[in-house]
Amino acid sequence: MAAPITIDVQAFGPTKGGDLVVFVDDNLKITDAVSRRLGTVADVIGRVAVSERFKGKPNTALVIPAPQGIDADRLIVIGIGGEKDRDKFNWLTLGGFVAGKVVGRSATIVADLPGVEATAEGIGDLALGARLRAYAFDRYKTKKKKDNGNGEPDTPTNLTVMAADPSPAKKAAKAREGLAEGVNMARDLVNEPPNVLGPEEFAWRSQELSKAGVDVEVLDEAALKKLGMRALVAVGQGSAQESRVVVMRWMGVRDDEAPIVVIGKGVCFDSGGISIKPGGGMEDMKGDMAGAACVIGLLHALASRKAKANVVGIIGLVENMPSGDAQRPGDIVTTLSGQTVEVINTDAEGRLVLADLLWYAQDRFKPKLMIDLATLTGAILVALAQEYAGLFSNNDELAERLTAAGRATGEKVWRMPLGPEYDKLIDSKFADMKNVDGRHGGSITAAQFLQRFVNDAPWAHLDIAGTGMNAPQTETNKSWGSGWGVRLLDRLVKDHYEG
């Protein structure tokens, strides 16, 4: 859950206690405007920097008890480097870094940076980075902590950003609130324990989106069986919890315009089923629904800013457990498409869920394009580690647009190959296909499997096994569940598909 944080944008003016944050380059220079307002601050920074060996490098900080004459508790000097560092300068990261230095306190941030123009969009991204940095998941800690689990105070953070032109900057910061909430909603879902967040609870929580104007439809297991989603239902048949599919519709333009459909794998816990996983690290499999969590967060973000686009989110919620009712290796299931699948490994379950959802999406909604997100394969970690999500697509334009959105947001994707030479690897002797091949190219053959359930619609598959859970710690993410993909897809919609 997001720790309490307020962010206001005001014109330059006098400070009012709390921390004062200013920015310097690698020559320890503040801007002339800051110097005029703060008087002898520049001399103080120079003297203390020498003793502390502070060089003004990017994302470094010098904390000084506030000098006499400045109404503040502490002066925090943030380095942004020199000209050679400008191509890597990032407002979002800067906002996260600053928030990390003042979390749990009140602070005034003077958004006047040497060598960098403080645009409204830049200040908006700084505010977004600060909101993402403030997130902490501590709802199951029974003792009141002095910190939020990350070594930071669990008290409100109150930020005032001083800008030369505050009105558009304030508007830009406000516009990103819903996006930050969407990311943090996704983080909450991924971080929840599996005894709390099963398929039925997940479906119930998804209905909260209706408050933002999203139409939410929940299909129970009886409805799924009637529709013919036999592959999805088979994954969950070993669990005591029934499976669910949730369809969420944000119709931001006229109803007759074909929607974008975003599909999420929602395996609320993945034991591997009969092909059970090793015990070490199995607790992480509570995060095997990060794709579905992203879809929830994206729909919230789009609805919050009243996006002028039609976007449908579909999530398949199951629990993959071993029991006397569980599917077995060797079973053959008939998918919603009518194609048959030989189950070689019950731990390759996510693709069975997505197969039925992809077919359902194109049959019901005739989409403009489809994107699925899934923590699908460990093989993608072998290929890309945790720096990129794997991107597979049948459409070059869509792939290029996702790649560009990844560069813009920092949620990076790397395109992986598809082709008939890989497709034949999943042919089965007994059915139309098998759900897994051997060790080699595991993320590719999984994507080839999914492509068999896609007809002519532009489609992209994002394998987020390395980015959606147990995620790398960054200046804007200190959470196990990252909420990865919400900002990526929000940017894609904003840049290319809004009317």
Side-chain angles (χ1 to χ4, degrees):
M1 63 192 72
I5 181 170
T6 63
I7 301 176
D8 190 22
V9 181
Q10 299 179 2
F12 289 122
T15 58
K16 299 176 182 179
D19 294 334
L20 176 63
V21 180
V22 299
F23 302 92
V24 299
D25 62 16
D26 57 357
N27 290 315
L28 304 182
K29 298 294 185 183
I30 57 178
T31 65
D32 291 340
V34 174
S35 182
R36 286 194 299 271
R37 287 180 175 84
L38 302 181
T40 60
V41 163
D43 294 336
V44 172
I45 292 172
R47 291 196 303 272
V48 177
V50 171
S51 63
E52 296 294 325
R53 298 181 180 179
F54 175 72
K55 305 293 185 182
K57 293 181 179 179
N59 295 330
T60 59
L62 178 65
V63 181
I64 307 170
Q68 187 175 5
I70 295 177
D71 185 8
D73 300 326
R74 301 186 302 172
L75 176 63
I76 301 179
V77 184
I78 305 293
I80 62 168
E83 286 298 322
K84 66 182 183 301
D85 303 302
R86 293 297 175 258
D87 60 336
K88 297 180 181 179
F89 178 83
N90 185 288
W91 282 100
L92 185 84
T93 300
L94 183 66
F97 182 78
V98 171
K101 297 300 176 184
V102 301
V103 68
R105 302 172 64 93
S106 295
T108 299
I109 303 167
V110 183
D112 193 5
L113 284 63
V116 176
E117 182 184 3
T119 64
E121 292 302 302
I123 292 173
D125 283 345
L126 181 143
L128 174 60
R131 291 186 188 282
L132 297 178
R133 182 64 171 78
Y135 176 87
F137 188 81
D138 59 1
R139 65 179 51 165
Y140 296 105
K141 293 181 178 291
T142 58
K143 294 181 180 179
K144 187 64 177 177
K145 297 280 187 178
K146 293 182 179 180
D147 63 71
N148 64 8
N150 296 322
E152 299 157 357
D154 189 21
T155 53
T157 302
N158 301 303
L159 304 182
T160 300
V161 182
M162 289 187 176
D165 190 3
S167 181
K170 189 183 189 80
K171 184 177 179 181
K174 181 68 175 177
R176 288 160 173 78
E177 280 188 29
L179 180 56
E181 289 168 357
V183 173
N184 289 334
M185 285 175 67
R187 288 171 170 176
D188 273 351
L189 291 167
V190 177
N191 286 327
E192 283 283 10
N195 62 316
V196 172
L197 193 72
E200 296 171 56
E201 173 69 13
F202 199 133
W204 182 82
R205 292 194 189 188
S206 70
Q207 295 179 75
E208 290 291 304
L209 289 173
S210 62
K211 296 178 181 178
V214 178
D215 180 73
V216 181
E217 176 186 4
V218 178
L219 304 176
D220 63 15
E221 192 161 295
L224 301 180
K225 290 177 179 177
K226 185 175 181 180
L227 283 168
M229 290 196 188
R230 289 172 288 268
L232 184 151
V233 170
V235 173
Q237 71 188 35
S239 172
Q241 299 200 47
E242 289 192 354
S243 300
R244 295 286 186 271
V245 166
V246 183
V247 180
M248 298 152 285
R249 286 172 287 185
W250 169 253
M251 308 304 282
V253 292
R254 63 184 188 274
D255 289 348
D256 61 350
E257 181 172 319
I260 297 165
V261 178
V262 184
I263 299 163
K265 171 189 171 183
V267 180
C268 297
F269 186 77
D270 181 21
S271 69
I274 296 296
S275 307
I276 196 164
K277 295 176 180 290
M282 194 192 286
E283 69 276 7
D284 286 353
M285 290 300 99
K286 71 176 187 176
D288 207 18
M289 32 57 70
C294 170
V295 176
I296 296 284
L298 173 66
L299 267 292
H300 176 86
L302 295 175
S304 294
R305 65 178 177 82
K306 301 293 188 282
K308 296 185 182 303
N310 289 346
V311 181
V312 174
I314 305 176
I315 56 176
L317 306 173
V318 302
E319 186 178 53
N320 187 23
M321 297 291 283
S323 77
D325 294 323
Q327 67 176 345
R328 297 155 291 257
D331 282 2
I332 293 178
V333 295
T334 302
T335 65
L336 179 61
S337 71
Q339 299 176 88
T340 57
V341 178
E342 181 188 7
V343 178
I344 302 297
N345 187 326
T346 64
D347 194 25
E349 84 299 331
R351 65 202 70 182
L352 298 176
V353 172
L354 293 174
D356 277 348
L357 297 183
L358 286 164
W359 195 266
Y360 177 76
Q362 61 193 325
D363 183 57
R364 178 176 175 183
F365 293 105
K366 308 300 186 290
K368 180 183 303 183
L369 61 94
M370 297 191 297
I371 300 170
D372 73 75
L373 302 96
T375 48
L376 204 64
T377 67
I380 204 66
L381 277 156
V382 176
L384 300 176
Q386 293 183 287
E387 303 307 314
Y388 291 80
L391 164 63
F392 302 82
S393 184
N394 65 359
N395 184 276
D396 291 341
E397 180 181 66
L398 177 57
E400 289 163 5
R401 288 176 173 181
L402 280 164
T403 301
R407 287 194 297 265
T409 59
E411 294 191 332
K412 299 178 291 184
V413 299
W414 190 269
R415 192 172 185 184
M416 302 286 284
L418 290 168
E421 60 273 24
Y422 296 110
D423 194 63
K424 66 183 180 182
L425 297 176
I426 55 171
D427 286 338
S428 167
K429 294 178 181 178
F430 305 106
D432 295 326
M433 69 197 84
K434 53 188 178 181
N435 74 328
V436 70
D437 186 47
R439 294 181 62 233
H440 298 154
S443 59
I444 301 173
T445 52
Q448 290 289 166
F449 180 95
L450 296 180
Q451 191 174 27
R452 292 195 180 197
F453 300 89
V454 176
N455 292 320
D456 298 326
W459 159 75
H461 160 59
L462 298 175
D463 193 334
I464 63 171
T467 56
M469 60 178 178
N470 196 19
Q473 303 294 281
T474 67
E475 295 298 344
T476 55
N477 179 58
K478 300 297 180 184
S479 170
W480 186 87
S482 64
W484 193 99
V486 176
R487 292 190 298 111
L488 171 78
L489 297 184
D490 178 81
R491 184 62 177 260
L492 176 76
V493 172
K494 183 178 180 181
D495 285 352
H496 299 290
Y497 300 106
E498 288 201 53

